[in-house]
Amino acid sequence: MKRIGLIGGTTPESTAYYYRKYIEISRELFEPYFFPELVIFSMNFRAFKDNPRGWEGRKEMLIEAARALERAGAEVIGIAANTPHIVFPDVQKAVNAEMVSIIEAVANEAKRRGLKKLLLLGTKTTMEMPFYREALEKRGFQVVVPDGEERERVNSIIFNELALGKMESKPYLVELVEKYAREGVEGVILGCTELPLAIKPGDVGIEVLDSAEIHMRALIEKAME
């Protein structure tokens, strides 16, 4: 079994959620008391978020974290957040360890479930920049993102509530998903790893793609190869 490395801290709330899913999935897949080796590098989220050099500086932080995990013996590495995957290819090239993309993991799961039309929720960057949407469209999915005001509201909920452990706007998120479900969307991608803290399967009438859980499962399965 390969050692797993997780680049976390973006945010600590979602990293804690990843660890909870790591426990749950391990108990599902393995005999009692067996848990794959896991090393977490928790970055300073303020230094990451407010990096004065923007994505170039954030990329360097991610590469530093990945290399630190590699030095700690990690053979399979994941970034425990969706938005940083904007620079995933560069981080992947900087290390020898195998990296597992959250976008690829989500796409594989959506395909397995037979979904075609997907609503993408996430940070404003994830919803507006092409890196996530285009990767899914290349796989044959139709991707819908909320309108401008809705994107602003979702982004605010992520950073001003969920990242701080608050759940005040869950009803808004549920109604937003239901609105797009009525327009033919078959599944919603919780494309920010804080969103699963608010929306669970069964909260809405369509398929829920929990990117954090899907990613953690993909990391464990890759470590088993």
Side-chain angles (χ1 to χ4, degrees):
M1 188 93 188
K2 297 172 185 173
R3 183 176 294 173
I4 300 168
L6 197 62
I7 302 174
T10 56
T11 64
E13 289 287 345
S14 65
T15 305
Y17 182 78
Y18 260 81
Y19 194 78
R20 171 52 56 189
K21 289 299 173 182
Y22 155 80
I23 295 171
E24 293 175 4
I25 295 166
S26 295
R27 285 174 173 165
E28 171 196 331
L29 295 178
F30 307 117
E31 65 270 20
Y33 310 117
F34 183 91
F35 297 92
E37 293 183 356
L38 174 67
V39 182
I40 299 175
F41 187 107
S42 188
M43 295 193 299
N44 180 337
F45 185 55
R46 178 168 291 279
F48 183 82
K49 177 176 175 291
D50 298 336
N51 194 293
R53 297 176 57 228
W55 278 107
E56 188 61 31
R58 295 182 195 115
K59 180 181 73 176
E60 290 178 4
M61 289 183 68
L62 290 165
I63 290 173
E64 179 184 352
R67 286 175 173 167
L69 289 170
E70 200 169 40
R71 290 194 297 273
E75 299 164 275
V76 176
I77 297 175
I79 303 172
N82 287 267
T83 303
H85 278 68
I86 196 169
V87 293
F88 179 87
D90 291 331
V91 181
Q92 187 175 39
K93 291 174 186 174
V95 294
N96 294 317
E98 188 167 7
M99 293 194 65
V100 177
S101 162
I102 198 170
I103 303 174
E104 285 299 309
V106 167
N108 290 339
E109 179 62 16
K111 183 178 180 181
R112 187 188 71 80
R113 298 191 198 185
L115 305 176
K116 295 180 181 178
K117 188 174 183 180
L118 303 170
L119 172 65
L120 174 61
L121 297 184
T123 64
K124 188 176 178 182
T125 300
T126 293
M127 291 185 286
E128 293 184 350
M129 295 288 283
F131 73 101
Y132 209 115
R133 187 178 65 254
E134 288 182 354
L136 292 170
E137 289 172 346
K138 287 178 182 177
R139 295 284 297 270
F141 298 103
Q142 182 180 352
V143 183
V144 176
V145 296
D147 67 30
E149 289 185 9
E150 292 166 344
R151 293 196 298 270
E152 292 287 350
R153 179 75 185 276
V154 171
N155 191 73
S156 177
I157 291 169
I158 290 168
F159 286 105
N160 298 320
E161 294 184 31
L162 299 179
L164 303 176
K166 302 176 183 178
M167 303 289 175
E168 298 163 5
S169 295
K170 175 171 180 171
Y172 173 82
L173 293 171
V174 169
E175 177 50 37
L176 180 65
V177 174
E178 295 290 9
K179 169 191 167 182
Y180 285 95
R182 292 190 291 270
E183 296 177 8
V185 165
E186 300 168 321
V188 56
I189 299 171
L190 304 183
C192 173
T193 49
E194 280 77 31
L195 287 171
L197 301 172
I199 302 176
K200 309 293 183 185
D203 287 342
V204 294
I206 58 175
E207 292 279 338
V208 173
L209 294 162
D210 176 342
S211 63
E213 180 175 9
I214 291 167
H215 194 209
M216 191 69 249
R217 184 178 295 275
L219 285 162
I220 290 174
E221 290 177 349
K222 180 60 67 174
M224 293 168 64
E225 293 180 358

